[in-house]
Amino acid sequence: MSDRYTALQSLLDERYTCRAFRPDAVDRDTIESILRLAQRTPSWCNTQPWQLVVTADPAATDRFRKALLDHIEGTPAQTDIPFPTAYHGVYRDRRRECGGALYQAVGVQRGDHAGSLRQMLRNFELFDAPHVAILTTEADLGAYGAVDCGLYLTSFLLGAQSLGVATAPQAALATYSPFLHEYFEIPAHRQVVAGISFGYPDAGHASNSFRTTRAELDQVVTWA
């Protein structure tokens, strides 16, 4: 295999969803380097539908984190883009495998509802990340605008990994889209796709100790 293939494989193999961050800020030059890499993402007709709001420093992130936690208490979830209606078959199994590995790593036992709630709330604490990005798409571009944003999200994650910055892509933040619109003054014609918490990993934290699996090719590819 070529060196470039091996380098990309290494980035994909090393990347994981970080669920515990150190408080250290990522410097602006590094963040902008990630954004410049992600900006090379392909899109349908080169529309580049993605836009981001990025918290510039830990103080800004902390203000948002506190406001979000205050908001979600007793507030029903509401998304701009419909979430999955159900998980069946292999999709349910993969989801359970991921959740089970996380709970085992952090010591949450089956039936521990308080522990499960606490771990769920870590999403809205941004896993203590010093920065968060809110990714949006143009509503008029429909599903394919969101697909393009998914491509952008992957570029962001791999760009961050290449520079030693850990990430947590978070659809959970989109469950309170109206709040994000108000807090960050996101126009109504923009739809919230996801959040990305990022920073430097707390490598010793239990929640960062497990890795998810991937299906074999014969489970996802049909040769015609």
Side-chain angles (χ1 to χ4, degrees), residues 95-131:
R95 186 170 184 258
R96 285 178 175 174
E97 178 192 25
C98 178
L102 171 60
Y103 280 13
Q104 182 177 10
V106 298
V108 175
Q109 304 298 318
R110 183 181 295 274
D112 180 359
H113 300 299
S116 297
L117 175 61
R118 177 61 192 154
Q119 187 59 41
M120 182 277 291
L121 288 174
R122 290 289 291 152
N123 284 281
F124 302 102
E125 294 170 353
L126 314 177
F127 305 115
D128 300 326
H131 305 278

Side-chain angles (χ1 to χ4, degrees), residues 3-4 16 20 26 43 51 70 77 81 104 115 122 133 142 147 156 188 201:
D3 291 343
R4 291 195 294 177
Y16 66 97
V26 180
S43 57
Q51 290 184 9
D70 288 345
I81 299 172
Q104 182 177 10
R122 290 289 291 152
V147 168
F156 186 105

Side-chain angles (χ1 to χ4, degrees), residues 34-152:
I34 294 169
L35 296 172
R36 277 191 290 271
L37 282 173
Q39 196 59 30
R40 302 304 304 167
T41 300
S43 57
W44 191 347
C45 299
N46 197 34
T47 52
Q48 305 173 59
W50 48 79
Q51 290 184 9
L52 291 94
V53 178
V54 182
T55 54
D57 55 53
T61 310
D62 284 340
R63 288 193 295 272
F64 169 64
R65 184 177 6 247
K66 182 181 184 304
L68 177 61
L69 286 166
D70 288 345
H71 173 79
I72 68 173
E73 187 173 352
T75 302
Q78 183 178 344
T79 65
D80 289 342
I81 299 172
F83 267 34
T85 57
Y87 295 88
H88 296 298
V90 67
Y91 311 113
R92 176 194 59 211
D93 296 341
R94 292 169 184 164
R95 186 170 184 258
R96 285 178 175 174
E97 178 192 25
C98 178
L102 171 60
Y103 280 13
Q104 182 177 10
V106 298
V108 175
Q109 304 298 318
R110 183 181 295 274
D112 180 359
H113 300 299
S116 297
L117 175 61
R118 177 61 192 154
Q119 187 59 41
M120 182 277 291
L121 288 174
R122 290 289 291 152
N123 284 281
F124 302 102
E125 294 170 353
L126 314 177
F127 305 115
D128 300 326
H131 305 278
V132 67
I134 305 300
L135 175 62
T136 69
T137 184
E138 189 69 24
D140 287 346
L141 297 180
Y144 284 96
V147 168
D148 287 340
C149 285
L151 297 175
Y152 179 92

Side-chain angles (χ1 to χ4, degrees), residues 13 15 17 22-24 44 60 96-97 117 135 141 163-164 173 182 190-191 211:
D13 287 346
R15 195 214 66 79
T17 295
R22 304 200 316 259
D24 318 57
W44 191 347
R96 285 178 175 174
E97 178 192 25
L117 175 61
L135 175 62
L141 297 180
L163 293 170
L173 300 187
E182 180 180 359
R190 303 293 306 176
Q191 292 181 320
R211 298 293 181 268

